[in-house]
């Protein structure tokens, strides 16, 4: 356990209501702390430990570590659970150690328990509120927990997600949970917002909530917040940084480095660009390990295991991915191509370069394109401007920098200062603390219209010939394919309609195509899917292969 993790443990009490902020460098082992908290549930020191992240890759990686490295969880796997999307292992948060997402825990705390979503939506559309669900159970269980929120800055990139995050944080603080916010790149503005919310909660509810922080380079308990041994190793790392405007040139250099025995990681902003890069690599005789958000559950697990196995064996490879590998997969690379993205995201990506203490020499190529992908254009442009101005003075692996060099933590703070408004008003819903179900219809409406949670509307698609294997596909990606192909390769529509009421493929496709051509199409599609109780579809292997791999 590293020095400052131990220091944080000495002054942070996980058994009392409180808020802890942990801002420590990439590769420092912040999630190791959660393994300690998980073990504390077994000896009764804390009631429950809940890990919350924005990424399934983070969740799956942590789940593996918990199952392998925490003795009491190895001996009794029944107390460990995953609770998100296709993983439903503790529906009302009863188990002792739970790995979940901000979306899942947020829905429960907003009185929309996911196991009962179908019944709640049916009542919402029929204006029949006789069924409210068992949200008091999951809310109560979460309130008794230590809740470790990893990479919280990635949870506020959309308006609806930002609303969900701050509502969730307010509920946790107001009901006596113990909360830890942890990241290498959590901006000062988010820390400031969390502290404001803490003070508001204290004043409003007249309760004592302890605040502790461990901020690298500033303070960590009684210590000065520095780890000289870690800094010495970080400063010893030599990273050559360059910019390129050519994807083809970057890929050619990546192939050269891989054939020299290097481990290569290429991180691009969108699936479309990843598939374009894959085609080019295949043409040049290289088969990359592909990772992105539209791989099926089984394919994602197979590709991740393949990558981890090659890494552990010390083999060279080319891994080609979207932002799903920014955090969570415990690998390192010697050569990286990273497409330009907001600075915190770019720093997270660079955290997969020379990640281990023994890794010393590496290269980073920042790919500059006109595409901004899913990111805010202002944030990407500010990142570009900072890097162009400071590229030769950035100490990429050193959090605080060195003589004449700027550390990445300082650079993130400078970037955050450019992004934040003078007085950001935190939006949160006070009624989330109420036990009454009166606000439940409002919460459901906000969820359906994208005011609460993600605005992306996805549909679960089972793949023909693969027993139980599925992928969640954004509706806009699915309907980018021609209508004739969808009619041929969507096999059937699964609904929870009353027996005898069947939804045809033609009706389904025509309705959604019409809605996607209008204003507020996402909200309308979401309402249509939920009102018609469309649970999933099944698709052909060929259509899935096209979506996931660009065809085979």
């Amino acid at each position: 356990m590293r020095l400052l993790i131990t220091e944080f443990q000495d002054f942070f009490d996980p058994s009392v209501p409180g808020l802890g902020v942990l801002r420590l460098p990439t590769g420092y082992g912040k999630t190791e702390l959660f393994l300690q908290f998980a073990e504390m549930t077994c000896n009764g020191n804390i009631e429950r430990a809940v890990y919350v992240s924005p990424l399934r890759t983070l969740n799956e990686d942590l789940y593996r570590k918990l199952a392998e490295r925490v003795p009491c969880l190895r001996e009794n796997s029944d107390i460990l659970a995953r609770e998100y999307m296709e993983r439903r292992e503790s529906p009302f948060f009863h188990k002792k150690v739970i790995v979940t997402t901000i979306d899942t825990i947020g829905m429960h705390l907003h009185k929309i328990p996911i196991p009962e979503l179908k019944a709640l939506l049916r009542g919402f559309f029929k204006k029949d509120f006789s069924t409210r669900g068992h949200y008091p159970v999951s809310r109560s269980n979460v309130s008794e927990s230590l809740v470790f929120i990893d990479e919280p800055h990635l949870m506020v990139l959309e308006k609806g997600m930002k609303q969900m995050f701050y509502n969730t944080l307010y509920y946790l603080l107001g009901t006596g949970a113990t909360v830890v916010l942890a990241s290498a790149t959590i901006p000062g503005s988010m820390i400031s917002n969390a502290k404001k919310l803490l003070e508001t909660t204290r004043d409003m509810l007249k309760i004592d909530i302890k605040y502790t922080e461990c901020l690298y380079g500033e303070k960590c308990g009684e210590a000065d917040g520095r780890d000289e041994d870690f800094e010495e190793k970080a400063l010893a790392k030599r990273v050559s940084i360059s910019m390129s405007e050519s994807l083809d040139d970057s890929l050619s250099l990546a192939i050269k480095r891989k054939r020299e025995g290097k481990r290569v990681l290429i991180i691009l902003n969108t699936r479309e660009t990843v598939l374009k890069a894959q085609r080019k690599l295949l043409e040049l005789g290289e088969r990359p390990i592909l990772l992105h958000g539209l791989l099926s559950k089984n394919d994602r697990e197979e590709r991740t295991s393949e990558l981890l196995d090659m890494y552990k064996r010390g083999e060279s490879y080319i891994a080609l991915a979207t932002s799903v590998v920014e955090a969570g997969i415990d690998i390192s690379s010697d050569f990286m191509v990273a497409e330009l993205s907001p600075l915190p995201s770019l720093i997270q990506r660079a955290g997969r370069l020379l990640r281990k203490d023994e890794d010393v020499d590496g290269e980073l190529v920042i790919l500059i394109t006109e595409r901004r992908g899913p990111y805010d254009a202002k944030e990407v442009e500010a990142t570009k401007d900072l890097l162009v101005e400071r590229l030769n003075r950035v100490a990429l692996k050193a959090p605080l920098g060195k003589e004449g060099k700027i550390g990445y933590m300082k650079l993130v703070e400078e970037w955050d200062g450019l992004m934040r408004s003078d007085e950001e008003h935190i939006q949160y819903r006070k009624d989330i603390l109420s036990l009454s179900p009166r606000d439940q219809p409002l919460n459901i409406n906000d969820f359906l219209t994208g005011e609460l949670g993600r605005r992306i509307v996805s549909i679960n698609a089972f793949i023909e010939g693969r027993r139980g294997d599925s992928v969640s596909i954004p509706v806009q990606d699915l309907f980018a394919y021609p209508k004739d192909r969808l009619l041929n390769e969507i096999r059937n529509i699964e609904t929870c309609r009353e027996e005898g009421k069947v939804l045809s493929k033609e009706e389904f496709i025509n309705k959604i195509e019409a809605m996607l051509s209008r204003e507020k199409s996402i909200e309308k599609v979401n309402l249509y899917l939920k009102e018609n109780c469309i649970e999933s579809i099944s698709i052909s292997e060929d259509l899935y292969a096209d979506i996931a791999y660009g065809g085979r």
Side-chain angles (χ1 to χ4, degrees):
M1 193 71 74
R2 293 194 189 269
L3 174 66
L4 295 180
I5 299 288
T6 302
E7 184 71 27
F8 184 76
Q9 284 181 298
D10 287 344
F11 69 85
F12 179 75
D13 187 348
S15 65
V16 300
L19 172 65
V21 176
L22 199 60
R23 185 169 67 189
L24 296 174
T26 57
Y28 200 80
K30 296 176 293 299
T31 51
E32 296 293 313
L33 183 59
F34 187 79
L35 302 188
Q36 299 292 317
F37 291 146
E39 193 152 20
M40 293 172 72
T41 66
C42 299
N43 57 31
N45 288 342
I46 58 178
E47 179 65 27
R48 183 176 293 100
V50 179
Y51 174 85
V52 183
S53 93
L55 300 169
R56 284 178 294 175
T57 49
L58 269 172
N59 288 355
E60 293 295 329
D61 185 67
L62 182 74
Y63 180 83
R64 280 192 294 269
K65 290 178 180 176
L66 288 165
E68 293 169 2
R69 293 171 49 190
V70 178
C72 62
L73 300 183
R74 279 202 312 267
E75 295 162 8
N76 184 7
S77 60
D78 288 343
I79 62 175
L80 172 64
R82 291 165 289 187
E83 184 58 30
Y84 49 89
M85 290 186 72
E86 66 266 20
R87 307 292 189 185
R88 299 296 180 201
E89 298 168 358
S90 185
F92 288 94
F93 288 77
H94 282 99
K95 292 193 176 182
K96 285 289 187 181
V97 181
I98 300 168
V99 179
T100 189
T101 61
I102 184 63
D103 309 71
T104 300
I105 195 171
M107 292 282 281
H108 279 270
L109 301 187
H110 284 84
K111 306 172 187 175
I112 315 174
I114 292 176
E116 298 166 309
L117 181 60
K118 190 189 304 181
L120 292 174
L121 289 173
R122 188 183 298 121
F124 176 81
F125 287 115
K126 292 181 177 180
K127 296 191 172 9
D128 174 9
F129 300 110
S130 55
T131 298
R132 295 292 195 170
H134 295 84
Y135 66 82
V137 176
S138 49
R139 280 164 51 106
S140 175
N141 286 334
V142 170
S143 297
E144 296 174 346
S145 305
L146 178 139
V147 182
F148 189 100
I149 303 179
D150 204 1
E151 310 297 352
H153 59 290
L154 299 179
M155 301 176 184
V156 296
L157 300 179
E158 300 176 43
K159 178 185 174 184
M161 289 302 297
K162 188 174 185 178
Q163 179 77 67
M164 178 173 278
F165 172 78
Y166 282 113
N167 287 356
T168 296
L169 183 57
Y170 178 61
Y171 175 86
L172 295 171
L173 295 175
T175 58
T178 309
V179 184
V180 177
L181 305 179
S183 175
T185 53
I186 179 171
S189 58
M190 175 171 271
I191 296 173
S192 176
N193 286 342
K195 290 166 76 171
K196 286 177 188 175
L197 194 56
L198 174 68
E199 289 301 323
T200 300
T201 309
R202 279 174 175 165
D203 293 344
M204 187 179 302
L205 302 178
K206 309 300 180 189
I207 55 177
D208 182 33
I209 309 171
K210 187 179 179 182
Y211 177 74
T212 50
E213 62 185 7
C214 183
L215 308 180
Y216 197 84
E218 297 181 33
K219 65 175 183 175
C220 187
E222 300 300 319
D224 64 359
R226 300 190 70 156
D227 183 335
E228 291 183 4
D229 180 60
F230 179 84
E231 285 189 42
E232 183 180 346
K233 290 173 181 174
L235 290 170
K237 295 179 186 292
R238 296 179 291 271
V239 180
S240 168
I241 310 175
S242 61
M243 290 184 171
S244 173
E245 295 183 354
S246 170
L247 176 61
D248 285 355
D249 289 350
S250 300
L251 295 177
S252 296
L253 186 55
I255 291 172
K256 181 180 179 182
R257 294 292 182 259
K258 188 261 184 180
R259 292 174 181 174
E260 292 170 353
K262 305 291 187 183
R263 301 161 300 179
V264 174
L265 181 56
I266 302 168
I267 307 178
L268 305 174
N269 290 345
T270 66
R271 176 181 57 97
E272 290 77 14
T273 314
V274 162
L275 294 180
K276 178 182 177 182
Q278 178 192 230
R279 288 192 292 272
K280 182 68 175 178
L281 290 169
L282 290 171
E283 287 171 10
L284 297 172
E286 290 291 341
R287 186 188 73 84
I289 300 170
L290 197 67
L291 285 168
H292 60 71
L294 290 187
L295 294 181
S296 74
K297 177 180 67 175
N298 291 351
D299 282 4
R300 185 173 66 248
E301 290 175 355
E302 287 175 10
R303 298 292 88 76
T304 301
S305 294
E306 179 185 5
L307 180 57
L308 288 171
D309 288 345
M310 292 183 75
Y311 174 65
K312 290 172 183 175
R313 292 194 299 265
E315 299 176 18
S316 61
Y317 53 76
I318 297 179
L320 177 60
T322 58
S323 60
V324 297
V325 298
E326 280 182 20
I329 299 179
D330 192 14
I331 59 166
S332 184
S333 61
D334 310 298
F335 178 87
M336 176 180 288
V337 176
E339 189 171 2
L340 186 68
S341 58
L343 190 62
S345 169
L346 197 61
I347 296 299
Q348 289 288 346
R349 295 176 183 191
R352 306 293 147 200
L353 179 68
L354 305 184
R355 185 168 177 79
K356 303 302 179 183
D357 287 347
E358 62 271 20
D359 300 333
V360 176
D361 291 296
E363 294 177 74
L364 171 66
V365 176
I366 300 172
L367 181 63
I368 309 295
T369 68
E370 294 301 316
R371 300 178 300 273
R372 294 299 174 248
Y375 302 111
D376 183 283
K378 180 183 175 184
E379 294 183 355
V380 178
E381 286 303 316
T383 301
K384 180 180 176 181
D385 293 344
L386 271 179
L387 290 175
V388 167
E389 181 184 345
R390 309 285 179 84
L391 190 64
N392 295 324
R393 294 195 290 125
V394 175
L396 188 67
K397 302 306 294 184
L400 304 180
K402 56 183 177 181
E403 302 162 3
K405 296 281 189 175
I406 304 167
Y408 62 81
M409 283 186 164
K410 297 292 185 185
L411 200 62
V412 168
E413 282 303 295
E414 188 174 344
W415 176 89
D416 184 50
L418 296 173
M419 293 298 99
R420 76 174 86 173
S421 57
D422 293 335
E423 286 294 332
E424 184 178 9
H425 181 62
I426 311 168
Q427 298 286 341
Y428 65 95
R429 295 261 300 275
K430 296 177 183 177
D431 55 8
I432 194 172
L433 294 179
S434 169
L435 293 174
S436 167
R438 282 182 299 179
D439 59 326
Q440 190 184 61
L442 174 61
N443 292 343
I444 292 173
N445 181 74
D446 286 350
F447 162 67
L448 292 172
T449 57
E451 292 298 312
L452 183 66
R454 301 183 192 276
R455 289 199 74 250
I456 296 174
V457 178
S458 299
I459 187 164
N460 196 39
F462 287 91
I463 303 158
E464 187 179 40
R466 298 191 185 194
R467 186 174 180 181
D469 195 16
S470 66
V471 59
S472 182
I473 307 174
V475 168
Q476 287 176 309
D477 287 335
L478 180 63
F479 279 79
Y481 290 93
K483 180 177 178 179
D484 288 347
R485 184 168 185 188
L486 294 178
L487 283 168
N488 186 46
E489 299 199 50
I490 293 177
R491 299 305 194 212
N492 55 58
I493 317 294
E494 296 293 332
T495 75
C496 54
R497 285 181 167 189
E498 297 170 14
E499 192 173 344
K501 293 186 176 179
V502 178
L503 182 65
S504 70
K505 288 194 294 184
E506 290 80 359
E507 179 186 349
F508 170 73
I509 292 168
N510 288 337
K511 284 278 189 182
I512 292 185
E513 277 195 337
M515 283 183 276
L516 288 175
S517 65
R518 301 172 190 160
E519 289 185 16
K520 296 186 177 181
S521 58
I522 295 299
E523 292 89 337
K524 289 174 182 174
V525 169
N526 201 18
L527 286 166
Y528 172 76
L529 293 175
K530 299 299 188 295
E531 192 167 12
N532 286 276
C533 207
I534 297 169
E535 297 183 319
S536 64
I537 61 175
S538 61
I539 61 174
S540 69
E541 174 70 33
D542 284 346
L543 181 57
Y544 166 69
D546 210 29
I547 292 169
Y549 299 100
R552 282 179 172 161

mmCIF file of all heavy atoms in Angstrom, residues 479 483 505-515:
data_model
loop_
_atom_site.group_PDB
_atom_site.id
_atom_site.type_symbol
_atom_site.label_atom_id
_atom_site.label_comp_id
_atom_site.label_asym_id
_atom_site.label_seq_id
_atom_site.Cartn_x
_atom_site.Cartn_y
_atom_site.Cartn_z
ATOM 1 N N PHE A 479 -30.374 2.576 -36.296
ATOM 2 C CA PHE A 479 -31.187 3.072 -37.417
ATOM 3 C C PHE A 479 -30.385 3.876 -38.433
ATOM 4 O O PHE A 479 -30.954 4.503 -39.319
ATOM 5 C CB PHE A 479 -32.382 3.871 -36.883
ATOM 6 C CG PHE A 479 -33.510 2.976 -36.446
ATOM 7 C CD1 PHE A 479 -33.468 2.337 -35.222
ATOM 8 C CD2 PHE A 479 -34.582 2.730 -37.286
ATOM 9 C CE1 PHE A 479 -34.480 1.491 -34.815
ATOM 10 C CE2 PHE A 479 -35.600 1.879 -36.901
ATOM 11 C CZ PHE A 479 -35.557 1.256 -35.662
ATOM 12 N N LYS A 483 -33.393 0.766 -44.143
ATOM 13 C CA LYS A 483 -34.625 0.145 -43.666
ATOM 14 C C LYS A 483 -34.747 -1.300 -44.149
ATOM 15 O O LYS A 483 -35.143 -2.187 -43.376
ATOM 16 C CB LYS A 483 -35.824 0.962 -44.156
ATOM 17 C CG LYS A 483 -37.166 0.415 -43.710
ATOM 18 C CD LYS A 483 -38.294 1.327 -44.184
ATOM 19 C CE LYS A 483 -39.647 0.782 -43.789
ATOM 20 N NZ LYS A 483 -40.745 1.679 -44.238
ATOM 21 N N LYS A 505 -42.334 -5.999 -36.887
ATOM 22 C CA LYS A 505 -41.073 -5.318 -37.209
ATOM 23 C C LYS A 505 -41.344 -4.050 -38.018
ATOM 24 O O LYS A 505 -40.700 -3.021 -37.799
ATOM 25 C CB LYS A 505 -40.167 -6.258 -38.014
ATOM 26 C CG LYS A 505 -39.568 -7.382 -37.212
ATOM 27 C CD LYS A 505 -38.435 -8.061 -37.985
ATOM 28 C CE LYS A 505 -38.944 -8.777 -39.213
ATOM 29 N NZ LYS A 505 -37.843 -9.507 -39.897
ATOM 30 N N GLU A 506 -42.284 -4.134 -38.957
ATOM 31 C CA GLU A 506 -42.582 -2.982 -39.813
ATOM 32 C C GLU A 506 -43.069 -1.794 -38.991
ATOM 33 O O GLU A 506 -42.623 -0.652 -39.195
ATOM 34 C CB GLU A 506 -43.633 -3.354 -40.869
ATOM 35 C CG GLU A 506 -43.153 -4.310 -41.950
ATOM 36 C CD GLU A 506 -43.150 -5.768 -41.491
ATOM 37 O OE1 GLU A 506 -43.504 -6.041 -40.311
ATOM 38 O OE2 GLU A 506 -42.792 -6.638 -42.304
ATOM 39 N N GLU A 507 -43.965 -2.075 -38.058
ATOM 40 C CA GLU A 507 -44.484 -0.998 -37.220
ATOM 41 C C GLU A 507 -43.362 -0.388 -36.372
ATOM 42 O O GLU A 507 -43.224 0.833 -36.273
ATOM 43 C CB GLU A 507 -45.593 -1.527 -36.305
ATOM 44 C CG GLU A 507 -46.173 -0.461 -35.376
ATOM 45 C CD GLU A 507 -47.158 -1.022 -34.371
ATOM 46 O OE1 GLU A 507 -47.569 -2.190 -34.505
ATOM 47 O OE2 GLU A 507 -47.497 -0.278 -33.426
ATOM 48 N N PHE A 508 -42.556 -1.239 -35.771
ATOM 49 C CA PHE A 508 -41.447 -0.804 -34.931
ATOM 50 C C PHE A 508 -40.477 0.086 -35.714
ATOM 51 O O PHE A 508 -40.125 1.190 -35.288
ATOM 52 C CB PHE A 508 -40.731 -2.045 -34.385
ATOM 53 C CG PHE A 508 -39.427 -1.781 -33.703
ATOM 54 C CD1 PHE A 508 -39.385 -1.201 -32.446
ATOM 55 C CD2 PHE A 508 -38.229 -2.132 -34.315
ATOM 56 C CE1 PHE A 508 -38.171 -0.969 -31.812
ATOM 57 C CE2 PHE A 508 -37.017 -1.904 -33.691
ATOM 58 C CZ PHE A 508 -36.984 -1.320 -32.438
ATOM 59 N N ILE A 509 -40.051 -0.386 -36.882
ATOM 60 C CA ILE A 509 -39.057 0.346 -37.671
ATOM 61 C C ILE A 509 -39.642 1.642 -38.217
ATOM 62 O O ILE A 509 -38.998 2.702 -38.161
ATOM 63 C CB ILE A 509 -38.525 -0.556 -38.811
ATOM 64 C CG1 ILE A 509 -37.697 -1.696 -38.203
ATOM 65 C CG2 ILE A 509 -37.697 0.248 -39.802
ATOM 66 C CD1 ILE A 509 -37.355 -2.802 -39.175
ATOM 67 N N ASN A 510 -40.864 1.588 -38.739
ATOM 68 C CA ASN A 510 -41.482 2.800 -39.297
ATOM 69 C C ASN A 510 -41.670 3.880 -38.232
ATOM 70 O O ASN A 510 -41.417 5.063 -38.481
ATOM 71 C CB ASN A 510 -42.840 2.461 -39.932
ATOM 72 C CG ASN A 510 -42.682 1.681 -41.227
ATOM 73 O OD1 ASN A 510 -41.645 1.737 -41.876
ATOM 74 N ND2 ASN A 510 -43.724 0.940 -41.596
ATOM 75 N N LYS A 511 -42.130 3.484 -37.060
ATOM 76 C CA LYS A 511 -42.375 4.446 -35.980
ATOM 77 C C LYS A 511 -41.087 5.143 -35.574
ATOM 78 O O LYS A 511 -41.031 6.370 -35.442
ATOM 79 C CB LYS A 511 -42.982 3.737 -34.770
ATOM 80 C CG LYS A 511 -44.448 3.372 -34.916
ATOM 81 C CD LYS A 511 -45.325 4.557 -34.610
ATOM 82 C CE LYS A 511 -46.793 4.143 -34.549
ATOM 83 N NZ LYS A 511 -47.676 5.309 -34.298
ATOM 84 N N ILE A 512 -40.044 4.353 -35.345
ATOM 85 C CA ILE A 512 -38.800 4.962 -34.856
ATOM 86 C C ILE A 512 -38.134 5.786 -35.945
ATOM 87 O O ILE A 512 -37.618 6.888 -35.676
ATOM 88 C CB ILE A 512 -37.851 3.877 -34.303
ATOM 89 C CG1 ILE A 512 -38.465 3.286 -33.026
ATOM 90 C CG2 ILE A 512 -36.473 4.461 -33.999
ATOM 91 C CD1 ILE A 512 -37.619 2.293 -32.299
ATOM 92 N N GLU A 513 -38.142 5.335 -37.173
ATOM 93 C CA GLU A 513 -37.576 6.138 -38.260
ATOM 94 C C GLU A 513 -38.268 7.483 -38.362
ATOM 95 O O GLU A 513 -37.626 8.525 -38.554
ATOM 96 C CB GLU A 513 -37.698 5.386 -39.593
ATOM 97 C CG GLU A 513 -36.588 4.386 -39.826
ATOM 98 C CD GLU A 513 -36.521 3.941 -41.271
ATOM 99 O OE1 GLU A 513 -37.562 4.040 -41.978
ATOM 100 O OE2 GLU A 513 -35.444 3.489 -41.701
ATOM 101 N N ALA A 514 -39.585 7.490 -38.228
ATOM 102 C CA ALA A 514 -40.342 8.744 -38.301
ATOM 103 C C ALA A 514 -39.969 9.673 -37.148
ATOM 104 O O ALA A 514 -39.809 10.882 -37.333
ATOM 105 C CB ALA A 514 -41.840 8.451 -38.290
ATOM 106 N N MET A 515 -39.828 9.109 -35.964
ATOM 107 C CA MET A 515 -39.508 9.938 -34.791
ATOM 108 C C MET A 515 -38.091 10.505 -34.855
ATOM 109 O O MET A 515 -37.843 11.630 -34.442
ATOM 110 C CB MET A 515 -39.699 9.117 -33.513
ATOM 111 C CG MET A 515 -41.162 8.955 -33.133
ATOM 112 S SD MET A 515 -41.384 8.069 -31.586
ATOM 113 C CE MET A 515 -41.312 6.388 -32.158
#
